[in-house]
Amino acid sequence: MRHGLDLHGTVHDVFLSPVPGGFRLHAAGQEALIVLEGETQGFLALAIDGEDCEVRYAIAGEEIFLHLDGRHYHLRHHEPVRRFASADATEANAAARAPMPGTVVRIAVEAGASVSAGDAILVIESMKLETTIRAWRDGVVEAVHVGEGATFERGTLLVSLVEDS
Amino acid sequence: MSRPITKLLIANRGEIAVRVIRTAQRLGIATVLVCHELDLGSPASVMADEIVMLEGRTGVAAYLDAAQILAAAQKAGADAIHPGYGFLSENAAFAKAVSEAGLIFVGPTAAMIDLMGDKVRARAFAQKHGVPVAPSVIEDDDPVNFVAKARALGAPLLVKPSAGGGGKGMRIVRDMAKLDEEIAQARSEGARYFGDGRLYVERFVEEPRHIEVQVFGDGQGHVIHLGERECSAQRRFQKIIEETPSPVLTPDLRARICQAAVDLARAAHYANAGTVEFIYGRDEFYFLEMNTRLQVEHPVTEEVTGLDLVEWQLRIAAGEGLPCTQSEIRSNGHAIELRIYAESPSRGFLPTTGPLLVFDPPEGEGVRIDTGFVQGQRVTSAFDPMLAKLIIHAPDRSSAIDRACDALREFVILGCETNIEFLGALTGSSAFRSGDVHTGFIDANPHLAQAPDVEGEALMRVLGAACMALPVLREEAEEIPTLHAMMGGWRN
């Protein structure tokens, strides 16, 4: 899944993949090797492409505050679900599948309801984070394929939309 | 004449309350702090021996409530009041009320505050006693011919409200065709900010520098100076970096400017701490105003002289006289103070707010932090947005600048935007290093306030750090057996 990180108004697609002994960061058309050398609460000792990087951080909701290399940075985390829903709004995509394993916290609409792009459809909890899945385009809810409280695996069909007739 | 202070009420808050309490406690003086509920739990409220709660519609209103604060001092049995800076520190009526109640006001007499608080009278007093003043026209002297006389002075001109301070209502006129219009606007601003539309106009010094002299008097005509401070790095007429000694003064000019300050204070029979401010340009200096209180930037003077200025204030207030003679004052090395503000330099230095999720000032040799904040506190718009003063002391100016730049890079504040990077860019600039910063420099160089673009390798470091700080990204990555599992998206 591609998460978004907003830095100074530019949203960067970011993606971490596992590599032996660390992670590979895919972002901004580049790649970097990240090795975690140590961490305590609010502190990370990293090596990024072999260069040491001491990071102080604090997270408040979707806001990320960082200090590294003698400077402060303020970023905003964009969840993958919300991003896909909005980014693909022009496409006639029919259904949303679970981006990761989780639990349905709340369902906001019933089958047959008309929704506009951006309307909340359901709230899921995954990785200790609540995420609202929103209508990615105008349409009618064909079906909500999961019930409140249900757990689901990655790729489970969550909700489908049809064109407004 | 001597009258010891045994219990001191601090009529202030924040870092200056901490500063005063620290010295009082070292001297064995009991401390009482007045405190609005917004400040409960602040470092000063924790340090003070006693707290008296202040009522107030707003926090600022509470600390300006002279009657309530005086009543608190009497109730607590304090024998003296230290006003700090701001709030009631230059309120002559408050100083008078404190004295009349039989308490010691740690500062000059009410009459002195009154004289120096009126820019027109203060200027006339300075001129009468041989202190250089800028060629000027005062409206009060001849209202009918005020504009014509101002025009005759010639451009550039500075138009100021007589009752002003802090740069409010000040206007620079370079094009004399606009003089009438600028005068009308300054008058309207003066009336709005100070309830007094009277103006004065003086010759404006191009690329002016702000140099001030710290003086102390015993009220008996004995006055000494503790050297100068240069405070030319200003944004919107407010100081953000101060240093001593000034990088621009020759020994001869330094001696003349310090002597002028002493002459003024001596003529006034000045008591306690005061600062005489001058505008300096092209080897000339003019009297600007005298501040009848401890200055925000007093620590740079403390660092180079090794003296405790709050201790001096308390000893003089207790009638002990001046602790030293002029010849005993020594200055050692170079000191710079950098004011850390909760503000956004790239958005016109607008104040910012937020929680101090992390507040971790630098430490080390020659590094001093004066602050009224601790981690976990919230920065609100209720009070002044100054978070801390970073004070650097080093053997010479160049190493003080290096040390300042290092300390700024180590200062970590997360949760609220600050001017730390801007101060680093300014302090490290070639203009600052070569001592060429004048009071209009920051406004004339807006690029210093813009955050640099983050690109290439630096961008990858920031994004990588952010990804590693987010548990969800790492957990997701650890769940992926191969990169291919994630290709192709997750939605039909």
Side-chain angles (χ1 to χ4, degrees):
Chain A
M1 278 147 291
R2 306 230 162 211
H3 289 251
L5 289 175
D6 181 340
L7 176 65
H8 302 158
T10 304
V11 181
H12 299 276
D13 275 354
V14 295
F15 176 62
L16 280 187
S17 63
V19 295
F23 300 89
R24 186 170 304 282
L25 168 67
H26 310 258
Q30 304 174 68
E31 292 189 359
L33 178 66
I34 302 178
V35 176
L36 178 64
E37 295 183 327
E39 68 181 313
T40 54
Q41 185 62 42
F43 175 82
L44 295 166
L46 306 175
I48 300 181
D49 281 341
E51 294 279 331
D52 283 344
C53 184
E54 292 194 351
V55 182
R56 300 286 299 269
Y57 70 90
I59 293 176
E62 63 180 14
E63 294 185 282
I64 310 160
F65 299 93
L66 298 177
H67 183 270
L68 62 138
D69 300 335
R71 299 191 72 89
H72 295 83
Y73 299 92
H74 179 199
L75 300 93
R76 223 168 256 280
H77 176 209
H78 291 207
E79 294 283 342
V81 184
R82 196 181 339 154
R83 296 193 61 232
F84 275 105
S86 53
D88 295 349
T90 55
E91 293 174 26
N93 285 335
R97 288 180 182 275
M100 54 199 130
T103 310
V104 177
V105 176
R106 191 157 43 81
I107 294 172
V109 295
E110 291 177 3
S114 290
V115 289
S116 303
D119 286 354
I121 296 178
L122 71 164
V123 179
I124 60 171
E125 188 196 295
S126 287
M127 309 292 181
K128 297 165 198 151
L129 279 173
E130 280 195 10
T131 305
T132 301
I133 298 198
R134 296 176 185 280
W136 52 95
R137 59 168 168 79
D138 296 349
V140 171
V141 177
E142 185 186 48
V144 181
H145 302 275
V146 288
E148 277 189 3
T151 56
F152 52 81
E153 292 305 308
R154 185 163 57 80
T156 303
L157 188 61
L158 297 176
V159 60
S160 47
L161 294 186
V162 291
E163 294 282 340
D164 211 343
S165 50
Chain B
M1 189 61 212
S2 176
R3 186 181 156 197
I5 296 172
T6 57
K7 193 170 190 179
L8 177 70
L9 180 132
I10 295 97
N12 216 299
R13 59 175 302 282
E15 69 90 15
I16 194 62
V18 171
R19 171 72 195 84
V20 174
I21 291 170
R22 187 171 293 140
T23 291
Q25 290 182 339
R26 184 171 60 74
L27 298 176
I29 298 171
T31 54
V32 186
L33 180 70
V34 286
C35 185
H36 184 265
E37 62 177 352
L38 289 173
D39 280 325
L40 259 188
S42 71
S45 74
V46 173
M47 286 171 69
D49 301 312
E50 218 176 293
I51 290 176
V52 180
M53 294 307 293
L54 285 183
E55 305 274 318
R57 199 171 43 78
T58 64
V60 170
Y63 293 103
L64 284 170
D65 189 337
Q68 196 183 170
I69 290 172
L70 182 53
Q74 289 173 310
K75 189 165 169 238
D79 41 29
I81 296 182
H82 194 301
Y85 55 69
F87 295 123
L88 294 169
S89 62
E90 291 178 286
N91 183 316
F94 179 64
K96 188 161 179 276
V98 171
S99 303
E100 285 176 356
L103 275 67
I104 298 169
F105 178 78
V106 181
T109 60
M112 193 56 49
I113 297 172
D114 216 20
L115 168 66
M116 295 305 174
D118 184 325
K119 306 303 169 222
V120 175
R121 282 175 62 212
R123 193 176 179 289
F125 184 88
Q127 192 166 23
K128 183 178 157 198
H129 292 93
V131 176
V133 296
S136 68
V137 181
I138 299 167
E139 184 166 30
D140 276 359
D141 294 349
D142 186 359
V144 177
N145 297 311
F146 173 61
V147 178
K149 283 185 170 175
R151 201 174 296 282
L153 274 185
L157 289 178
L158 186 63
V159 182
K160 299 190 206 184
S162 295
K168 289 204 170 73
M170 278 171 40
R171 316 189 77 85
I172 297 162
V173 183
R174 292 196 176 82
D175 176 1
M176 294 304 267
K178 291 192 179 140
L179 183 63
D180 290 325
E181 187 187 325
E182 297 284 355
I183 281 179
Q185 284 179 358
R187 194 185 303 290
S188 134
E189 285 180 18
R192 186 147 33 98
Y193 288 125
F194 310 110
D196 182 346
R198 290 175 305 150
L199 299 177
Y200 76 95
V201 168
E202 68 182 22
R203 168 73 46 72
F204 177 67
V205 179
E206 291 288 358
E207 302 201 343
R209 303 176 68 116
H210 176 115
I211 297 176
E212 60 187 31
V213 179
Q214 177 70 56
V215 296
F216 275 90
D218 65 357
Q220 313 294 313
H222 302 107
V223 172
I224 65 171
H225 72 81
L226 269 55
E228 86 283 6
R229 295 182 286 259
E230 171 148 4
C231 321
S232 299
Q234 303 185 359
R235 50 121 181 81
R236 294 186 315 197
F237 296 109
Q238 287 188 331
K239 304 162 188 169
I240 50 171
I241 302 180
E242 302 95 344
E243 61 183 313
T244 187
S246 161
V248 76
L249 290 185
T250 61
D252 172 56
L253 269 165
R254 174 169 295 116
R256 279 166 52 204
I257 205 166
C258 289
Q259 190 57 48
V262 168
D263 289 347
L264 178 74
R266 188 173 286 146
H269 280 232
Y270 193 82
N272 219 292
T275 295
V276 186
E277 298 189 334
F278 297 94
I279 286 296
Y280 170 88
R282 301 200 177 106
D283 293 343
E284 285 192 296
F285 59 88
Y286 300 125
F287 172 75
L288 185 62
E289 62 180 35
M290 181 167 191
N291 293 323
T292 53
R293 54 171 164 84
L294 193 66
Q295 301 276 106
V296 175
E297 59 271 23
H298 74 276
V300 294
T301 301
E302 295 188 319
E303 291 305 309
V304 298
T305 59
L307 301 170
D308 179 334
L309 269 54
V310 175
E311 178 183 349
W312 275 46
Q313 286 193 291
L314 294 171
R315 291 200 182 287
I316 292 168
E320 293 180 28
L322 293 173
C324 287
T325 62
Q326 187 69 62
S327 62
E328 288 170 324
I329 304 296
R330 292 279 179 274
S331 182
N332 162 37
H334 197 93
I336 302 179
E337 174 182 281
L338 305 110
R339 300 195 195 180
I340 313 295
Y341 278 102
E343 66 183 19
S344 176
S346 63
R347 287 184 288 141
F349 300 99
L350 281 178
T352 54
T353 58
L356 295 177
L357 301 171
V358 172
F359 184 76
D360 191 5
E363 294 171 1
E365 194 195 340
V367 177
R368 163 177 165 185
I369 303 288
D370 281 17
T371 182
F373 280 92
V374 284
Q375 186 163 307
Q377 247 176 297
R378 198 174 176 86
V379 182
T380 70
S381 55
F383 298 110
D384 182 84
M386 189 173 77
L387 298 179
K389 306 187 301 200
L390 169 62
I391 304 121
I392 302 292
H393 186 209
D396 55 69
R397 186 169 190 268
S398 169
S399 47
I401 290 173
D402 291 343
R403 198 170 278 184
C405 290
D406 288 347
L408 286 166
R409 288 172 59 84
E410 290 164 19
F411 207 137
V412 183
I413 298 178
L414 301 181
C416 182
E417 186 180 357
T418 74
N419 65 343
I420 290 176
E421 276 79 11
F422 168 71
L423 289 172
L426 177 59
T427 312
S429 70
S430 56
F432 189 85
R433 280 191 181 271
S434 56
D436 288 336
V437 169
H438 55 85
T439 59
F441 179 81
I442 291 168
D443 289 337
N445 289 276
H447 67 275
L448 287 170
Q450 298 308 316
D453 289 337
V454 189
E455 297 167 331
E457 207 176 295
L459 177 62
M460 291 302 272
R461 289 171 75 79
V462 173
L463 296 177
C467 288
M468 294 299 286
L470 287 168
V472 61
L473 268 96
R474 276 155 71 177
E475 286 167 19
E476 281 174 21
E478 278 156 3
E479 282 195 359
I480 303 168
T482 65
L483 179 60
H484 288 94
M486 287 312 299
M487 302 296 270
W490 49 273
R491 210 171 60 212
N492 291 332

